[in-house]
Amino acid sequence: MTVAHSPATLPSAVLPPLFDDWFASRGWAPRRHQLEMIQAAEGGDHALLVAPTGGGKTLAGFLPSLIELAERGPRPEHGQGSGVHTLYLSPLKALTTDVERNLMTPIREIGLNIHVESRTGDTKQSKKQRQRESPPDILLTTPEQLALFCAWDGARAYFADLKCVVLDEVHAIWSGKRGDLLSLGLARLQQFAPGMRRVALSATVDDPQLIADWLSPSRLGDEAVRIVKGDPGAPPVIDVLVSQGQVPWAGHTGRHAIPEVYDAIKSARLALIFVNTRWQSEFVFQQLWEINDDDLPIALHHGSLAAEQRRKVEAAMARGDLRAVVCTSTLDLGIDWGDVDLVIQMAAPKGSSRLVQRIGRANHRLDEPSRALMVPASRFEMLECQAAREAVAENAFDWEPIHVGTLDTLAQHVMGCACSEPFSLEDLHAEVTTAGPYRALSYEAFEEVVDLVATGGYALRSYDRFARIVRDRNGRWKARNAQVAQRHRMNVGAIVAAGTLNVRVASRRGGAAKQLIGGRKVGEAEEWYFEQLTPGDTFIFAGQVWAFQVITGTDALVTHAKGNDPKIPSWGGSKFPLSTSLASRVRDIIHDRDHWRVLPGDVQEWLELQESRSVIPTADSMLVETFPRGSRHFLVAYPFEGNLAHTTLCMLLTRRLDRMGAGPLGFVVTDYSLAIWSIRPMDRIDLNALFEPDILGDDLEAWLEESFMMKRTFRNCALISGLIERRQPGAEKTGRQVTFSTDLIYDVLRRHQPDHLLLRTARADAAAGLLDVGRLGQLLSRIQGHIRHEPLTRASPFSVPVLVQIGRERVSGDAAEMILDESAEALIAEVLDEEAPA
């Protein structure tokens, strides 16, 4: 149940004089939504605040706690009242640090005796130990640290005084496995402190009701959560950069516009240049550095850099020492860098909610417009940028998926509870089903999860290593021993990255052999990347050129180098999908000729050329073109459903085309289209039969059985559930060692227990995450009877961006861009030729 109040129905909240004077001293007045959050606290209500960036959301979340702590008496050193009062949870370490700095401003200026500290994976062990012995009043941390808290012995006593939990940027976390683990942690805290209030904050929620239901601590989801909505702020000013009056036909980096981006940086106080992948961040940073004739202080920030390097960049931003930072999503949530006056989005944003978050980093104040510049890398991206621009103007966010809690995440939580204190099945099931994603969890399914933690499942129960919990004399479950509990605490969390190696600067130890040893950590990159290198190969990382030397354990040792044509590492799984709502808007723009007038002239001409050479599809149909080119025959379709869904569809279509006798040879995809080429023509194939939704039945199952993706997904589920542990005291398994272990277990389970809980979970994860089956199913249903087939004699204008990808997927770095440029140039000339080829 949710309760939304309008200002007219609420009495005016009164700020205590201390706080009223502080607002006045800054020339401020408390905003309506800040007063409503105080009223919610006075009524003991849980609350969800949805307010624009720069509207004081974080302060609104903390104000009730600050007021309550200011009015309390002396804090006892031990016993009741000496524990954590407010727990703040953020999805980003950088945001936690930023909030600590900003929260100290009112505390210091008002003169409050309130102790605030942060705790993340980067916090020193000595400080963590001190926090355990002497808790701060307000503790700022991450969901992973909450999972660790839940696995502490003594956690119940530590959080007995907890009055409030503040969840910042809740939209970024609630619907995935991190959200599952967070929700289970909240349910645990509510058992420790029944009177605890839950407060969630966000600027970009499409459906507040969904989040409010998730936030509710009731088994039925019917405990009141007050939804508070902030007043709209000044609309952002969003420009789209059209480099030299032209938009490229194809591309994905925006390299063509780097000189204009550099000029924009020179005219700004501090610019944040957002990109969508870590590879792009390294690439764009290098491109800017090469033309930085003015020696502007430009920095780089992404999640694979060493924590020390990220902190240096953040500190330099706070001091005003930088002019630009090239960054990924590590800086796009809630961080208040006051001097940022320009946000640049390199390439299309892939979602309107993400764009709003990023734009909000500029002029982080509600009443001043944020300024943003989007840099489309291609003409289809130009359409996407325009769609995103219009979505932001309409305050329309990306649609939220409905999420059901995953069982591998629940297994991790069960193990954590056993490490903290013994539990009974009945009590823990009752607790777990108060967590939003697990309200429908049956007792039988819960028993199966507990059995997984206790035995590994019946196919593995004869192996002693999988017995992690045991019953005590009272029939309650507890950790098998202290060593098992320690290993669990070292492996908590729901973020599973591909196997990575620490990139360390090498030095030579004395002696005749002069052995290389690892020194300063530069960051992390994926293990498979280094396995392709030979000693002496050069690559760009952290904005510098390195020469690879050797892999030792979990470290890749490197030395400084100059090197010609250095490569850039590629990180798997880091590309954002095109959101469903933005894809729908792009299809609408293409269909609506009147809408074309807002687009650059060359993009309008491109659309008109497509209409004359092929056809412009309607918003509810899908265009399929077939044509010969060279000795091959092509089928190009335009679903506009994102790279992931298109890849899965191509894998299934090529199987079906093979059975139809077309002789498919390969495929490539973009976020907007897909291309398949074959030995025989495909222009007479029954396209309705080819795209029949039943392709998601037997074809999908057969393909999954053969696919390496299932093993990779199972590996992730095994790590999250704790069946396999990567980190152990004094050691850490390499990615290859983890993969070897999980592959063995996967094969055993497929033979002896094909309905094993983790196999079922892996199939569901593969369908949702790796394959985007749900979105694919919606696409196939939508286009049935609405496929527009155009047999052509040559490639169409729309087909150029996807066709130039052929051959490029096996090349990286500048070489890939060169291939893209050269093949695009030849293909564009072919498309523009007035005379059709013989």
Side-chain angles (χ1 to χ4, degrees), residues 153-214:
D153 51 339
R156 184 177 293 274
Y158 189 84
F159 288 108
D161 296 323
L162 190 62
K163 299 296 188 295
C164 181
V165 172
V166 179
L167 311 178
D168 207 353
E169 307 294 352
V170 68
H171 68 276
I173 191 172
W174 77 279
S175 65
K177 290 194 179 188
R178 286 185 88 197
D180 291 347
L181 201 57
L182 171 59
S183 186
L184 291 164
L186 292 176
R188 179 113 281 231
L189 291 178
Q190 204 80 52
Q191 289 293 313
F192 298 160
M196 178 192 86
R197 290 192 316 113
R198 304 180 181 198
V199 173
L201 314 173
S202 179
T204 52
V205 173
D206 180 64
D207 185 353
Q209 182 74 49
L210 270 179
I211 306 248
D213 290 345
W214 175 87

Coordinates of all heavy atoms in Angstrom, one line a residue, residues 153-214:
D153 N 28.7 -12.2 13.4 CA 28.2 -12.6 14.7 C 28.0 -11.3 15.5 O 28.9 -10.5 15.5 CB 29.1 -13.6 15.4 CG 30.5 -13.1 15.4 OD1 30.9 -12.2 14.6 OD2 31.3 -13.6 16.3
G154 N 26.9 -11.2 16.2 CA 26.7 -10.0 17.0 C 26.0 -8.9 16.2 O 25.8 -7.8 16.6
A155 N 25.5 -9.2 14.9 CA 24.9 -8.2 14.1 C 23.6 -7.7 14.7 O 23.2 -6.5 14.7 CB 24.6 -8.7 12.7
R156 N 22.9 -8.6 15.4 CA 21.6 -8.2 16.0 C 21.8 -7.1 17.1 O 21.0 -6.1 17.1 CB 20.9 -9.5 16.6 CG 19.5 -9.2 17.2 CD 18.9 -10.5 17.7 NE 18.7 -11.5 16.7 CZ 17.5 -11.5 16.0 NH1 16.6 -10.6 16.2 NH2 17.4 -12.4 15.0
A157 N 22.8 -7.3 17.9 CA 23.0 -6.3 18.9 C 23.6 -5.0 18.3 O 23.2 -3.9 18.8 CB 24.0 -6.8 20.0
Y158 N 24.4 -5.1 17.3 CA 25.0 -3.9 16.7 C 23.9 -3.0 16.1 O 24.1 -1.8 16.2 CB 26.0 -4.4 15.6 CG 26.8 -3.3 15.0 CD1 28.0 -2.9 15.6 CD2 26.5 -2.6 13.8 CE1 28.8 -1.9 15.1 CE2 27.3 -1.6 13.3 CZ 28.4 -1.3 13.9 OH 29.2 -0.3 13.4
F159 N 22.9 -3.6 15.5 CA 21.9 -2.7 14.8 C 20.6 -2.6 15.7 O 19.5 -2.2 15.1 CB 21.5 -3.3 13.5 CG 22.6 -3.1 12.5 CD1 23.4 -4.2 12.1 CD2 22.9 -1.9 12.0 CE1 24.4 -4.1 11.1 CE2 23.9 -1.7 11.0 CZ 24.7 -2.8 10.6
A160 N 20.6 -2.9 17.0 CA 19.4 -2.8 17.8 C 18.9 -1.4 17.9 O 17.7 -1.3 18.1 CB 19.7 -3.4 19.2
D161 N 19.7 -0.4 17.8 CA 19.3 1.0 17.9 C 18.9 1.6 16.6 O 18.7 2.8 16.6 CB 20.4 1.8 18.6 CG 20.6 1.3 20.0 OD1 19.7 1.0 20.7 OD2 21.8 1.3 20.5
L162 N 19.0 0.9 15.5 CA 18.8 1.5 14.2 C 17.4 2.1 14.0 O 16.4 1.4 14.3 CB 19.0 0.4 13.1 CG 19.1 0.9 11.7 CD1 20.3 1.8 11.5 CD2 19.3 -0.3 10.7
K163 N 17.3 3.3 13.6 CA 16.1 4.0 13.5 C 15.7 4.2 12.0 O 14.5 4.3 11.7 CB 16.1 5.4 14.2 CG 16.4 5.3 15.7 CD 15.2 4.6 16.4 CE 15.4 4.7 17.9 NZ 16.6 4.0 18.4
C164 N 16.7 4.3 11.1 CA 16.3 4.6 9.8 C 17.4 4.1 8.8 O 18.6 4.1 9.1 CB 16.2 6.2 9.6 SG 15.8 6.7 8.0
V165 N 16.9 3.6 7.6 CA 17.8 3.2 6.6 C 17.5 4.1 5.4 O 16.3 4.2 5.0 CB 17.7 1.7 6.2 CG1 18.5 1.4 4.9 CG2 18.2 0.8 7.3
V166 N 18.5 4.8 4.8 CA 18.3 5.6 3.6 C 18.9 5.0 2.4 O 20.1 4.7 2.4 CB 18.9 7.0 3.8 CG1 18.7 7.9 2.6 CG2 18.4 7.7 5.1
L167 N 18.1 4.7 1.4 CA 18.6 4.0 0.2 C 18.6 5.1 -0.9 O 17.6 5.6 -1.4 CB 17.6 2.9 -0.3 CG 17.2 1.9 0.8 CD1 16.2 0.9 0.2 CD2 18.4 1.2 1.3
D168 N 19.8 5.5 -1.3 CA 20.0 6.5 -2.3 C 20.0 5.9 -3.7 O 20.5 4.8 -3.9 CB 21.3 7.3 -2.1 CG 21.2 8.7 -2.6 OD1 20.2 9.1 -3.3 OD2 22.2 9.5 -2.3
E169 N 19.6 6.7 -4.7 CA 19.6 6.2 -6.1 C 19.0 4.8 -6.2 O 19.5 3.9 -6.9 CB 21.0 6.3 -6.7 CG 21.7 7.6 -6.6 CD 21.1 8.7 -7.4 OE1 20.2 8.4 -8.1 OE2 21.5 9.9 -7.2
V170 N 17.8 4.7 -5.6 CA 17.2 3.3 -5.5 C 16.9 2.7 -6.9 O 16.9 1.5 -7.1 CB 16.0 3.4 -4.6 CG1 14.8 4.2 -5.2 CG2 15.5 2.0 -4.3
H171 N 16.6 3.6 -7.9 CA 16.2 3.1 -9.2 C 17.4 2.3 -9.9 O 17.1 1.5 -10.7 CB 15.9 4.3 -10.1 CG 17.2 5.2 -10.4 ND1 17.6 6.1 -9.6 CD2 18.1 5.1 -11.4 CE1 18.7 6.7 -10.1 NE2 19.0 6.1 -11.2
A172 N 18.6 2.6 -9.4 CA 19.8 1.9 -10.1 C 20.0 0.6 -9.5 O 20.9 -0.1 -10.0 CB 21.0 2.8 -9.9
I173 N 19.3 0.1 -8.5 CA 19.7 -1.1 -7.8 C 18.5 -2.0 -7.5 O 18.7 -3.2 -7.4 CB 20.4 -0.7 -6.5 CG1 21.1 -2.0 -5.9 CG2 19.5 -0.1 -5.5 CD1 22.0 -1.6 -4.7
W174 N 17.3 -1.5 -7.5 CA 16.2 -2.3 -6.8 C 15.9 -3.6 -7.6 O 15.5 -4.6 -7.1 CB 15.0 -1.5 -6.6 CG 14.2 -1.2 -7.9 CD1 14.5 -0.3 -8.9 CD2 13.0 -1.9 -8.3 NE1 13.5 -0.4 -9.9 CE2 12.7 -1.4 -9.6 CE3 12.3 -3.0 -7.8 CZ2 11.6 -1.8 -10.3 CZ3 11.2 -3.4 -8.5 CH2 10.8 -2.9 -9.8
S175 N 16.0 -3.6 -9.0 CA 15.4 -4.7 -9.8 C 16.4 -5.8 -10.2 O 16.0 -6.7 -10.8 CB 14.8 -4.1 -11.0 OG 15.8 -3.6 -11.9
G176 N 17.6 -5.8 -9.7 CA 18.6 -6.8 -10.1 C 19.0 -7.7 -8.9 O 18.3 -7.6 -7.9
K177 N 20.0 -8.4 -9.1 CA 20.5 -9.3 -8.0 C 21.0 -8.5 -6.8 O 20.9 -8.9 -5.6 CB 21.5 -10.3 -8.4 CG 20.9 -11.4 -9.4 CD 21.8 -12.6 -9.6 CE 21.1 -13.6 -10.5 NZ 21.9 -14.8 -10.6
R178 N 21.6 -7.4 -7.1 CA 22.1 -6.5 -6.0 C 20.8 -6.0 -5.2 O 20.9 -5.9 -3.9 CB 22.8 -5.3 -6.5 CG 24.2 -5.5 -6.9 CD 24.9 -4.2 -7.3 NE 25.6 -3.6 -6.2 CZ 25.9 -2.3 -6.2 NH1 25.7 -1.5 -7.2 NH2 26.5 -1.8 -5.1
G179 N 19.8 -5.7 -5.9 CA 18.5 -5.4 -5.2 C 17.9 -6.5 -4.4 O 17.4 -6.2 -3.3
D180 N 18.0 -7.7 -4.9 CA 17.5 -8.9 -4.2 C 18.3 -9.0 -2.8 O 17.7 -9.1 -1.8 CB 17.8 -10.2 -5.0 CG 16.9 -10.3 -6.2 OD1 15.9 -9.5 -6.3 OD2 17.1 -11.1 -7.0
L181 N 19.6 -8.9 -2.9 CA 20.4 -9.0 -1.7 C 20.2 -7.8 -0.7 O 20.1 -8.0 0.5 CB 21.9 -9.0 -2.1 CG 22.9 -9.7 -1.1 CD1 22.5 -11.1 -0.7 CD2 24.3 -9.6 -1.6
L182 N 20.0 -6.7 -1.3 CA 19.7 -5.5 -0.5 C 18.3 -5.7 0.2 O 18.2 -5.4 1.4 CB 19.6 -4.2 -1.4 CG 19.1 -2.9 -0.8 CD1 19.9 -2.6 0.5 CD2 19.1 -1.8 -1.8
S183 N 17.3 -6.1 -0.5 CA 16.0 -6.3 0.1 C 16.0 -7.4 1.2 O 15.4 -7.2 2.2 CB 15.0 -6.8 -1.0 OG 13.7 -6.8 -0.5
L184 N 16.8 -8.4 1.0 CA 16.9 -9.4 2.1 C 17.7 -8.9 3.3 O 17.3 -9.2 4.4 CB 17.7 -10.7 1.5 CG 17.0 -11.5 0.5 CD1 17.9 -12.4 -0.3 CD2 15.8 -12.3 1.1
G185 N 18.7 -8.0 3.0 CA 19.4 -7.3 4.1 C 18.4 -6.4 4.9 O 18.5 -6.3 6.1
L186 N 17.6 -5.7 4.2 CA 16.6 -4.8 4.9 C 15.6 -5.7 5.7 O 15.3 -5.2 6.9 CB 15.8 -4.0 3.8 CG 16.6 -3.0 3.0 CD1 15.6 -2.4 2.0 CD2 17.1 -1.9 3.9
A187 N 15.2 -6.8 5.2 CA 14.3 -7.7 6.0 C 15.0 -8.1 7.3 O 14.4 -8.2 8.4 CB 13.9 -8.9 5.2
R188 N 16.3 -8.4 7.2 CA 17.1 -8.8 8.4 C 17.2 -7.7 9.4 O 17.0 -7.9 10.6 CB 18.5 -9.3 7.9 CG 19.4 -9.7 9.1 CD 19.7 -11.2 9.0 NE 18.6 -12.0 9.5 CZ 18.7 -12.9 10.5 NH1 19.9 -13.2 11.0 NH2 17.7 -13.6 10.9
L189 N 17.5 -6.5 8.9 CA 17.6 -5.3 9.8 C 16.3 -5.0 10.5 O 16.3 -4.6 11.6 CB 18.1 -4.1 9.0 CG 19.5 -4.1 8.4 CD1 19.7 -2.8 7.6 CD2 20.5 -4.2 9.6
Q190 N 15.2 -5.2 9.7 CA 13.9 -5.0 10.3 C 13.6 -6.0 11.5 O 12.9 -5.6 12.4 CB 12.8 -5.1 9.3 CG 11.5 -4.4 9.6 CD 11.6 -2.9 9.2 OE1 12.0 -2.5 8.1 NE2 11.3 -2.0 10.2
Q191 N 14.2 -7.2 11.4 CA 14.1 -8.1 12.5 C 14.9 -7.6 13.7 O 14.5 -7.7 14.9 CB 14.6 -9.5 12.1 CG 13.6 -10.2 11.2 CD 12.3 -10.6 11.8 OE1 12.3 -11.1 12.9 NE2 11.2 -10.3 11.1
F192 N 16.1 -7.1 13.4 CA 16.9 -6.6 14.5 C 16.3 -5.3 15.2 O 16.4 -5.1 16.4 CB 18.3 -6.2 14.0 CG 19.1 -7.3 13.4 CD1 20.1 -7.1 12.5 CD2 18.8 -8.7 13.7 CE1 20.9 -8.1 12.0 CE2 19.5 -9.7 13.2 CZ 20.6 -9.5 12.3
A193 N 15.7 -4.4 14.4 CA 15.1 -3.2 14.8 C 13.7 -3.0 14.2 O 13.6 -2.4 13.2 CB 16.1 -2.0 14.4
P194 N 12.7 -3.6 14.9 CA 11.4 -3.6 14.3 C 10.8 -2.2 14.0 O 10.0 -2.0 13.1 CB 10.5 -4.3 15.4 CG 11.5 -5.1 16.1 CD 12.8 -4.3 16.1
G195 N 11.3 -1.1 14.7 CA 10.7 0.2 14.5 C 11.5 1.0 13.4 O 11.2 2.1 13.2
M196 N 12.4 0.3 12.7 CA 13.2 1.0 11.7 C 12.4 1.5 10.5 O 11.5 0.8 10.0 CB 14.3 0.0 11.2 CG 15.2 0.5 10.1 SD 16.1 -0.9 9.4 CE 15.0 -1.5 8.1
R197 N 12.7 2.7 10.1 CA 12.0 3.3 8.9 C 12.8 3.1 7.7 O 14.1 3.1 7.8 CB 11.7 4.8 9.1 CG 10.7 5.2 10.1 CD 10.3 6.6 10.0 NE 11.4 7.5 9.8 CZ 11.7 8.2 8.7 NH1 10.9 8.1 7.7 NH2 12.7 9.0 8.7
R198 N 12.2 2.9 6.6 CA 12.9 2.7 5.3 C 12.6 4.0 4.5 O 11.5 4.4 4.3 CB 12.4 1.5 4.5 CG 12.6 0.2 5.3 CD 12.1 -1.0 4.5 NE 12.2 -2.2 5.3 CZ 12.1 -3.4 4.8 NH1 12.0 -3.6 3.4 NH2 12.2 -4.5 5.5
V199 N 13.7 4.6 3.9 CA 13.6 5.8 3.1 C 14.3 5.5 1.8 O 15.5 5.1 1.9 CB 14.1 7.0 3.8 CG1 14.2 8.2 2.9 CG2 13.3 7.3 5.1
A200 N 13.7 5.8 0.7 CA 14.3 5.6 -0.6 C 14.3 6.9 -1.4 O 13.3 7.6 -1.3 CB 13.7 4.5 -1.4
L201 N 15.4 7.2 -2.2 CA 15.5 8.4 -2.9 C 15.8 8.2 -4.3 O 16.6 7.3 -4.6 CB 16.6 9.3 -2.3 CG 16.7 9.5 -0.7 CD1 18.0 10.2 -0.3 CD2 15.5 10.2 -0.2
S202 N 15.3 8.9 -5.2 CA 15.6 8.8 -6.7 C 15.1 10.0 -7.4 O 14.1 10.7 -7.1 CB 15.0 7.5 -7.3 OG 15.3 7.4 -8.6
A203 N 15.8 10.3 -8.6 CA 15.3 11.4 -9.5 C 14.7 10.8 -10.7 O 14.0 11.5 -11.4 CB 16.5 12.2 -9.9
T204 N 14.8 9.5 -10.9 CA 14.4 8.9 -12.2 C 13.6 7.6 -12.0 O 14.2 6.5 -12.2 CB 15.6 8.7 -13.2 OG1 16.6 7.9 -12.4 CG2 16.2 10.0 -13.6
V205 N 12.4 7.7 -11.6 CA 11.5 6.6 -11.4 C 10.3 6.7 -12.3 O 9.6 7.7 -12.2 CB 11.1 6.5 -9.9 CG1 10.0 5.3 -9.7 CG2 12.3 6.2 -9.0
D206 N 10.1 5.7 -13.2 CA 9.0 5.8 -14.1 C 7.7 5.4 -13.4 O 6.7 6.0 -13.6 CB 9.2 4.8 -15.3 CG 8.1 4.8 -16.3 OD1 7.9 5.9 -16.9 OD2 7.4 3.8 -16.4
D207 N 7.7 4.4 -12.5 CA 6.6 4.0 -11.8 C 6.9 3.9 -10.3 O 7.3 2.9 -9.8 CB 6.2 2.6 -12.3 CG 4.9 2.1 -11.7 OD1 4.3 2.7 -10.8 OD2 4.4 1.0 -12.2
P208 N 6.6 5.0 -9.5 CA 6.9 5.0 -8.1 C 6.2 3.9 -7.3 O 6.7 3.4 -6.3 CB 6.4 6.4 -7.7 CG 6.4 7.2 -8.9 CD 6.1 6.3 -10.0
Q209 N 5.1 3.5 -7.8 CA 4.3 2.4 -7.1 C 5.1 1.1 -7.0 O 5.1 0.4 -6.0 CB 3.0 2.1 -7.9 CG 2.1 1.1 -7.2 CD 1.4 1.6 -5.9 OE1 0.9 2.7 -6.0 NE2 1.5 0.9 -4.8
L210 N 5.8 0.8 -8.1 CA 6.6 -0.5 -8.1 C 7.7 -0.4 -7.1 O 7.9 -1.4 -6.3 CB 7.3 -0.6 -9.5 CG 6.6 -1.4 -10.6 CD1 7.5 -1.4 -11.9 CD2 6.3 -2.8 -10.2
I211 N 8.4 0.7 -6.9 CA 9.5 0.8 -6.0 C 8.9 0.8 -4.6 O 9.5 0.3 -3.6 CB 10.3 2.1 -6.2 CG1 10.8 2.1 -7.7 CG2 11.4 2.2 -5.2 CD1 12.2 1.9 -7.9
A212 N 7.8 1.5 -4.4 CA 7.1 1.6 -3.1 C 6.7 0.2 -2.6 O 6.9 -0.1 -1.4 CB 5.9 2.6 -3.1
D213 N 6.2 -0.6 -3.5 CA 5.8 -2.0 -3.1 C 7.0 -2.8 -2.7 O 7.0 -3.6 -1.8 CB 5.0 -2.6 -4.3 CG 3.6 -2.0 -4.5 OD1 3.2 -1.3 -3.6 OD2 3.1 -2.3 -5.6
W214 N 8.1 -2.6 -3.5 CA 9.4 -3.3 -3.2 C 9.9 -2.9 -1.8 O 10.4 -3.7 -1.1 CB 10.4 -3.0 -4.3 CG 11.7 -3.5 -4.1 CD1 12.2 -4.7 -4.4 CD2 12.8 -2.8 -3.5 NE1 13.5 -4.8 -4.1 CE2 14.0 -3.7 -3.5 CE3 13.0 -1.5 -2.9 CZ2 15.2 -3.3 -3.0 CZ3 14.2 -1.2 -2.4 CH2 15.3 -2.1 -2.4

